[in-house]
Amino acid sequence: MDAIDIKILNCLKTNSRQNASAISEQINLSVSAVIERIRKMESNGIIKQYTVVLNSAQTGNDMSAFISVSIEHPKYHQNFMDKVTGMPNIRECYHITGEFDYLLKLEAGSTAQLELVLNSVKSIDGVSHTHTLVVLSTVKNEISGMPLLMQNLKGFK
Amino acid sequence: MDAIDIKILNCLKTNSRQNASAISEQINLSVSAVIERIRKMESNGIIKQYTVVLNSAQTGNDMSAFISVSIEHPKYHQNFMDKVTGMPNIRECYHITGEFDYLLKLEAGSTAQLELVLNSVKSIDGVSHTHTLVVLSTVKNEISGMPLLMQNLKGFK
DNA sequence: CTTGAAAATAAATCGCG
DNA sequence: CGCGATTTATTTTCAAG
């Protein structure tokens, strides 16, 4: 991965649906080279996925919360992770240091739905203690990792 | 937004670079209709952005942490949000209920970098108290909101 | 919404710096 | 590795049913 790849990733981050010739113009590289580099990054796994970001206010899932969870014994961990992975309202799950074991991000369309999800989490085997934070507003939410990539580069588009 | 739109969004979520004809085949709708529906969702803002998900392990930003922040007085809020928005290592910032005012997600490439970011956050005006959780592993991280959309639908692809 | 043909674009190929 | 002209294949557009 060099500076050119990063420029390409930056273009794709902004709009992953733009084609190679559009990118080519933006970064002053031939279309063939752009295509070749994209293919390489797809096949070696740097590019994991192309996806779409939706307006959650319009899709009706604009309520979110974080819940910290303690598990009473290590034997429950695998089951907990499996359960959580299968629950669509749980969007993120992190294993963390500190007082709690996991931090989950939930999304729902109403407080009632949120309550249901919270209760399901609390009733997973081994969950001993939880702490819930409701999100009042999202100040920032950068998806994938581009700005960071660019920190260490001088001249990018 | 109807069930067909949701099928289209689901396709785009899986791979936003696939074109209308590919989607058309998957959901048994004519190409023109697919294009028209996508355009509509783009222009009315349901589709916010097409983006790419990178492998952070390979891009060198695979270290992350959450930091909860208390602000000592409301007058500091705006400045805090502005600062945080401008910091690339801060990927997410939520205004939350509870003991703290904000929850931030940080990403960095090393513990040293992480430490720097933590210190920058702590030195923003008005920050009175913080609590840091380091992420040991990411169990789940679903990006945009598709699975939730589908909960309420019976027959999707 | 669908179809199908025309028009416009994009991608793959391939010698060659 | 990158370029860029050519060929090949796809896609989008549009008018009509």
Side-chain angles (χ1 to χ4, degrees):
Chain A
M1 269 239 319
D2 60 8
I4 301 177
D5 284 336
I6 291 181
K7 288 185 197 170
I8 293 174
L9 290 175
N10 193 37
C11 292
L12 290 172
K13 195 251 172 178
T14 305
N15 176 12
S16 63
R17 268 177 89 78
Q18 66 188 312
N19 52 36
S21 49
I23 295 174
S24 156
E25 283 178 11
Q26 292 171 69
I27 67 173
N28 289 99
L29 191 73
S30 73
V31 178
S32 340
V34 170
I35 292 176
E36 201 181 321
R37 279 169 176 272
I38 291 178
R39 287 217 193 307
K40 204 162 283 175
M41 291 191 285
E42 284 170 352
S43 64
N44 68 19
I46 285 183
I47 292 177
K48 267 210 245 179
Q49 197 188 181
Y50 299 106
T51 194
V52 61
V53 182
L54 305 178
N55 183 333
S56 56
Q58 285 190 60
T59 53
N61 287 112
D62 56 344
M63 180 148 290
S64 52
F66 284 89
I67 176 169
S68 311
V69 174
S70 290
I71 304 291
E72 61 186 54
H73 187 280
K75 71 180 175 188
Y76 294 111
H77 281 246
Q78 191 57 55
N79 179 254
F80 178 81
M81 292 192 283
D82 293 346
K83 286 271 161 49
V84 146
T85 302
M87 294 169 71
N89 286 278
I90 299 182
R91 314 313 291 273
E92 300 170 31
C93 173
Y94 303 96
H95 190 189
I96 53 171
T97 61
E99 190 189 348
F100 292 92
D101 294 302
Y102 294 96
L103 180 65
L104 312 182
K105 186 181 185 192
L106 316 184
E107 275 181 38
S110 64
T111 49
Q113 224 178 88
L114 198 59
E115 197 181 353
L116 280 174
V117 185
L118 288 169
N119 286 330
S120 335
V121 171
K122 291 176 188 171
S123 39
I124 297 174
D125 280 348
V127 169
S128 61
H129 187 219
T130 66
H131 184 73
T132 303
L133 300 172
V134 173
V135 172
L136 298 171
S137 65
T138 298
V139 176
K140 181 181 188 176
N141 193 350
E142 285 275 324
I143 307 120
S144 50
M146 290 315 305
L148 288 183
L149 280 176
M150 317 221 272
Q151 281 187 160
N152 309 309
L153 285 170
K154 309 167 189 195
F156 57 88
K157 198 250 149 174
Chain B
M1 268 239 319
D2 60 9
I4 300 177
D5 283 336
I6 292 181
K7 288 184 197 172
I8 293 174
L9 291 175
N10 193 36
C11 293
L12 290 171
K13 195 250 172 180
T14 305
N15 175 13
S16 63
R17 268 177 90 77
Q18 67 188 312
N19 52 37
S21 50
I23 295 173
S24 155
E25 283 178 12
Q26 290 171 70
I27 68 174
N28 289 99
L29 191 74
S30 73
V31 177
S32 335
V34 171
I35 291 177
E36 201 180 319
R37 279 169 176 269
I38 291 178
R39 287 215 195 308
K40 204 163 284 174
M41 291 190 285
E42 285 170 352
S43 64
N44 69 18
I46 285 183
I47 292 177
K48 265 208 242 178
Q49 194 186 3
Y50 299 106
T51 193
V52 61
V53 182
L54 305 178
N55 183 333
S56 56
Q58 284 190 61
T59 54
N61 288 112
D62 56 344
M63 180 148 289
S64 53
F66 284 89
I67 176 170
S68 311
V69 174
S70 290
I71 304 291
E72 63 185 53
H73 186 280
K75 71 180 174 187
Y76 293 111
H77 281 244
Q78 191 57 53
N79 178 254
F80 178 81
M81 292 191 284
D82 293 346
K83 286 271 160 51
V84 145
T85 301
M87 295 169 71
N89 286 278
I90 299 182
R91 313 313 289 275
E92 300 169 30
C93 172
Y94 304 96
H95 191 191
I96 52 171
T97 61
E99 191 189 347
F100 292 93
D101 294 302
Y102 295 96
L103 180 67
L104 313 182
K105 185 181 184 192
L106 317 184
E107 275 182 38
S110 64
T111 50
Q113 226 179 85
L114 199 59
E115 194 180 354
L116 279 174
V117 185
L118 287 169
N119 285 330
S120 336
V121 172
K122 291 177 188 171
S123 38
I124 297 173
D125 280 348
V127 170
S128 61
H129 187 218
T130 65
H131 184 74
T132 302
L133 300 172
V134 173
V135 172
L136 298 171
S137 65
T138 298
V139 176
K140 180 179 187 177
N141 194 350
E142 285 275 323
I143 306 119
S144 49
M146 291 313 307
L148 288 184
L149 281 176
M150 317 223 271
Q151 281 185 158
N152 309 312
L153 285 170
K154 310 165 190 193
F156 58 87
K157 198 251 150 176

